[in-house]
Amino acid sequence: MMPNPLQALVQTQDLTLRADYSYTFDSDFKDSSLGSLSVSKLNVSARTPISNSEKLRVVTGVNYRRLDFDADSDIIPDHMQGLSALVNFEYLIGGQPAIGLLMSPGFYFIDDIDSDTFDIPTIFYASWRFTPSFIGIGGAGYSGLRADNPVIPLAGFIWTISEDVKLNAIFPVASLDFDLNDRTKLSIIGEYSGIKAHTGDGVADEDYRDTALSYSEMRAGVQLGLELGDSSSLRFSAGWAFRQEF
């Protein structure tokens, strides 16, 4: 299934509440001895602006993520989860973000929370408007749990093709959006999604205990967005997960 086949959003001037749920049906491992894997994913967040001036926007919040795995192999943990704060700073030029810093300090774990599960994933980004319809974006992402490669480059762009068509290509999500009317949007989406966590004693295989573990998916599909009112919306998606990796 596509990421976030069901998404609910409630937004006011002072608070944004968002809930996403997705389910990926059975997929076979390349190593047939490991059997198959299905994944359910829940993401819940709340955000509120604490500064929204002409030049500076600061948003804080909290986020909880949980992935549950139904696997034939006991090498795979039953679940992975993360509980984090959200802090986003944006410097604005002409009302648009020009420089930004997004931090998600929190605990990324399987069962037990301790100091080893603490991390501060951070994204720094900058944008530049090349033309009225084209914005380029570059930056870098950091995670201490990504020990082999803690810093990765990020790049992308936003291209307003016409009044009703926009291409957003900003890692880890790319979408081609069509505004069907004032309250309905159709999107073709590709996404790289995943989670990193410290295992502790939360895996059956002793070789994978007390270490960092990551899970990722590459997915593509179609999404229909419905604006229910000035402060709420729903999103429905369907598609394929064509690469899953631990």
Side-chain angles (χ1 to χ4, degrees):
M1 286 292 294
M2 179 62 191
N4 308 331
L6 179 60
Q7 176 191 116
L9 179 69
V10 178
Q11 186 170 15
T12 68
Q13 183 176 359
D14 299 320
L15 180 66
T16 298
L17 300 175
R18 176 172 171 171
D20 304 282
Y21 177 79
S22 68
Y23 186 82
T24 302
F25 293 97
D26 282 351
S27 304
D28 294 327
F29 287 99
K30 288 185 177 180
D31 183 349
S32 59
S33 65
L34 297 177
S36 62
L37 170 73
S38 60
V39 184
S40 65
K41 178 176 129 179
L42 174 68
N43 191 83
V44 181
S45 66
R47 305 185 184 195
T48 184
I50 61 175
S51 175
N52 196 8
S53 66
E54 183 179 346
K55 292 293 186 181
L56 181 65
R57 180 188 300 152
V58 182
V59 177
T60 62
V62 64
N63 186 80
Y64 175 71
R65 300 181 65 198
R66 181 183 174 101
L67 276 73
D68 287 280
F69 304 104
D70 184 4
D72 296 330
S73 172
D74 60 6
I75 296 177
I76 307 301
D78 292 333
H79 53 264
M80 299 171 69
Q81 51 192 327
L83 177 63
S84 65
L86 299 170
V87 185
N88 188 17
F89 300 90
E90 291 182 328
Y91 177 72
L92 309 176
I93 296 178
Q96 298 296 321
I99 299 174
L101 180 68
L102 173 62
M103 297 182 292
S104 304
F107 298 94
Y108 302 85
F109 59 101
I110 292 180
D111 290 318
D112 301 321
I113 294 177
D114 56 34
S115 59
D116 290 332
T117 66
F118 182 76
D119 191 19
I120 309 178
T122 301
I123 295 175
F124 171 80
Y125 54 94
S127 67
W128 183 262
R129 185 179 292 275
F130 291 93
T131 70
S133 62
F134 189 89
I135 300 173
I137 298 170
Y142 165 83
S143 172
L145 288 174
R146 195 169 49 234
D148 294 338
N149 192 15
V151 179
I152 59 172
L154 303 174
F157 62 87
I158 301 173
W159 179 21
T160 303
I161 300 172
S162 69
E163 183 178 346
D164 299 323
V165 182
K166 179 182 289 187
L167 176 60
N168 291 275
I170 306 172
F171 182 85
V173 180
S175 67
L176 181 60
D177 304 323
F178 301 89
D179 290 331
L180 304 183
N181 54 51
D182 291 342
R183 294 189 177 273
T184 308
K185 177 184 293 185
L186 180 67
S187 301
I188 302 172
I189 299 178
E191 181 180 24
Y192 177 87
S193 176
I195 189 172
K196 294 169 289 294
H198 192 273
T199 60
D201 296 326
V203 292
D205 194 314
E206 294 184 358
D207 292 338
Y208 293 94
R209 292 180 180 175
D210 198 29
T211 188
L213 178 68
S214 65
Y215 169 78
S216 62
E217 291 185 353
M218 296 179 66
R219 303 178 285 190
V222 178
Q223 181 181 88
L224 180 65
L226 304 174
E227 300 296 330
L228 304 181
D230 295 335
S231 62
S232 60
S233 63
L234 286 175
R235 303 285 187 270
F236 302 94
S237 303
W240 298 267
F242 51 88
R243 180 187 176 96
Q244 297 169 273
E245 185 175 26
F246 283 94

